[in-house]
Amino acid sequence: MLCLKKSLRSSIPNFYSYYSYDVHRKAAEDAKKSITKTLELTSMKKEQTTKPQEIIVFQQNGSGESKIQGILKYGENLFRLNKISIDENLPPVIDNANKYLPDDIKADVVLDYLKHPDISYDLAVMCRDRKIPVVISGKKVRIKGAITPPT
């Protein structure tokens, strides 16, 4: 009888180890399938919802060309650019910049590389009113919503 009990005891761990291995293998396979399905759904959602960001670049006499080329080169189709150039001689003071700016702006962000401070100011006000962030590089414009990084 002792011999039989001893053999039963030695066979029980083997049964449990095989059962445990089988359960863990199945759980691992199920987890792998679930993760793969989640990744596929996530990538499908990204493909469906990712659209290029609309950027309008205002420049004067080619002042933003190097930045535009950098966005086009490194942006990998993540951005759709619209360039508005003012290439004429401007008076030192402009009371109403509306004749140099479009009537309506529809963009996700506006980049301002204009040299004339009056046009930059009116552009910043126009963007603020439409809740469009505007980056005005190298100027000290004090308009709420205008981002003014140093150059």
Side-chain angles (χ1 to χ4, degrees):
M1 189 70 151
L2 284 174
C3 229
L4 180 61
K5 285 184 182 179
K6 191 174 185 179
S7 68
L8 278 175
R9 273 189 248 146
S10 63
S11 67
I12 289 173
N14 288 337
F15 168 76
Y16 283 121
S17 64
Y18 286 124
Y19 176 76
S20 177
Y21 170 77
D22 216 28
V23 167
H24 290 299
R25 184 179 53 82
K26 175 103 171 86
E29 287 174 1
D30 290 346
K32 184 178 176 183
K33 286 178 188 175
S34 175
I35 290 169
T36 304
K37 188 172 183 176
T38 302
L39 288 174
E40 288 172 358
L41 289 173
T42 303
S43 67
M44 285 174 50
K45 284 181 183 177
K46 276 186 181 177
E47 290 172 10
Q48 292 172 357
T49 59
T50 303
K51 65 177 188 164
Q53 188 175 22
E54 295 282 336
I55 299 176
I56 297 179
V57 180
F58 286 85
Q59 67 173 349
Q60 188 174 344
N61 299 322
S63 57
E65 280 302 320
S66 62
K67 280 63 167 189
I68 292 169
Q69 294 307 314
I71 292 169
L72 293 174
K73 183 176 181 180
Y74 298 107
E76 298 179 1
N77 299 324
L78 296 174
F79 308 103
R80 192 170 334 162
L81 286 177
N82 184 7
K83 178 172 61 171
I84 298 175
S85 297
I86 300 173
D87 296 328
E88 56 189 85
N89 291 331
L90 300 172
V93 177
I94 299 175
D95 290 329
N96 187 3
N98 289 340
K99 87 176 207 182
Y100 301 104
L101 298 173
D103 294 333
D104 194 25
I105 296 176
K106 292 183 182 175
D108 296 315
V109 68
V110 171
L111 303 179
D112 175 2
Y113 295 105
L114 296 169
K115 295 178 182 177
H116 201 289
D118 295 334
I119 300 175
S120 287
Y121 183 85
D122 287 353
L123 176 62
V125 170
M126 182 185 280
C127 290
R128 180 199 61 202
D129 294 345
R130 289 168 177 75
K131 296 181 177 38
I132 300 171
V134 60
V135 178
I136 304 174
S137 182
K139 297 187 185 93
K140 295 183 180 182
V141 176
R142 302 280 185 226
I143 300 286
K144 185 178 180 178
I147 303 162
T148 56
T151 55

